[in-house]
């Protein structure tokens, strides 16, 4: 049985995963209308789907442990970006926030001696290592590419394989 405090905190994480999904969906929609970003577009849409899956996993867990998962209202995410680099910077910063939030949940589970939730959260801890790594790789590559159009062409091509390359694949 989850404590009220833990239920509330897990529901906050539901909100965060849902907002992540929306944010990356918006990035996908923006990328889709940019010339030559087919790979990046797929990457963002797939990442959005992954975030929805993260949210669903939490919803089922809360409900299975005697809580009630609240489907949250969402804010409209950023819709346009000054550059692809900026979009990936936002993505990386967002993933760091998610990691911090997961870490706070792990802390809470330990302090409440809720070992089931602690165990459940380990999946998210591992997922965040992978997501941060992938986001950092993308940022590093875009930093190197700068304004080089042929570099961007290769990035767009390679990101399709980077997508499935990690454990989570985003
Ligand atoms: Fe589910 Fe990328 O955090």
């Amino acid at each position: 049985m989850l404590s009220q405090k833990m239920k509330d905190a897990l529901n906050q994480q539901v909100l965060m995963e849902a907002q992540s999904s929306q944010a990356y969906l918006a990035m996908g929609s923006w990328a889709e209308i940019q010339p030559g970003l087919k790979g990046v577009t797929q990457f963002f849409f797939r990442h959005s789907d992954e975030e929805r899956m993260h949210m669903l996993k939490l919803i089922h867990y809360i409900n299975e442990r005697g809580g009630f998962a609240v489907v949250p209202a969402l804010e409209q995410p950023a819709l346009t970006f000054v550059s692809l680099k900026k979009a990936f910077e936002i993505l990386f910063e967002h993933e760091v926030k998610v990691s911090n939030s997961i870490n706070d949940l792990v802390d809470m589970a330990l302090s409440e001696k809720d070992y089931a939730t602690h165990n459940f959260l380990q999946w998210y801890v591992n997922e965040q290592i992978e997501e941060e790594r992938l986001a950092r790789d993308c940022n590093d590559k875009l930093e190197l590419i700068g304004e080089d159009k042929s570099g961007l062409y290769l990035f767009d091509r390679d990101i399709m394989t980077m997508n499935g390359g990690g454990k989570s694949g985003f």
Side-chain angles (χ1 to χ4, degrees), residues 5-157:
K5 190 176 162 195
M6 186 56 77
K7 278 185 227 173
D8 292 345
L10 288 170
N11 268 315
Q12 274 303 113
Q13 193 62 34
V14 167
L15 170 64
M16 196 165 207
E17 302 291 348
Q19 277 175 338
S20 304
S21 180
Q22 286 291 91
Y24 303 148
L25 186 63
M27 286 179 186
S29 180
W30 170 79
E32 196 162 38
I33 61 162
Q34 310 305 311
L37 292 184
K38 208 169 178 174
V40 169
T41 299
Q42 282 181 19
F43 176 89
F44 285 139
F45 280 130
R46 197 177 309 179
H47 193 177
S48 173
D49 287 345
E50 289 272 343
E51 298 300 349
R52 185 166 190 280
M53 186 270 284
H54 297 174
M55 176 192 69
L56 283 173
K57 217 172 153 70
L58 278 158
I59 285 176
H60 295 316
Y61 181 75
I62 296 166
N63 287 338
E64 278 164 12
R65 300 282 323 281
F68 174 51
V70 179
V71 176
L74 299 177
E75 280 176 29
Q76 187 167 51
L79 300 177
T80 58
F81 307 89
V82 290
S83 64
L84 186 61
K85 189 166 178 297
K86 189 66 199 168
F88 271 97
E89 278 170 18
I90 293 169
L91 186 147
F92 176 67
E93 284 161 14
H94 190 79
E95 289 304 328
V96 171
K97 274 190 207 154
V98 173
S99 297
N100 291 339
S101 176
I102 295 291
N103 289 341
D104 288 346
L105 283 171
V106 171
D107 266 356
M108 188 184 291
L110 272 183
S111 70
E112 291 198 0
K113 294 189 171 29
D114 181 348
Y115 298 115
T117 300
H118 183 266
N119 187 48
F120 168 75
L121 290 170
Q122 295 314 301
W123 183 88
Y124 288 86
V125 170
N126 288 323
E127 187 75 1
Q128 283 312 118
I129 292 171
E130 195 60 30
E131 294 209 354
E132 274 192 42
R133 182 195 60 77
L134 193 45
R136 194 178 294 110
D137 282 355
C138 289
N139 274 289
D140 289 349
K141 281 188 188 353
L142 287 167
E143 183 68 37
L144 279 175
I145 289 166
E147 298 299 313
D148 176 20
K149 287 205 180 341
S150 54
L152 194 56
Y153 171 82
L154 292 174
F155 178 84
D156 187 71
R157 190 195 62 183

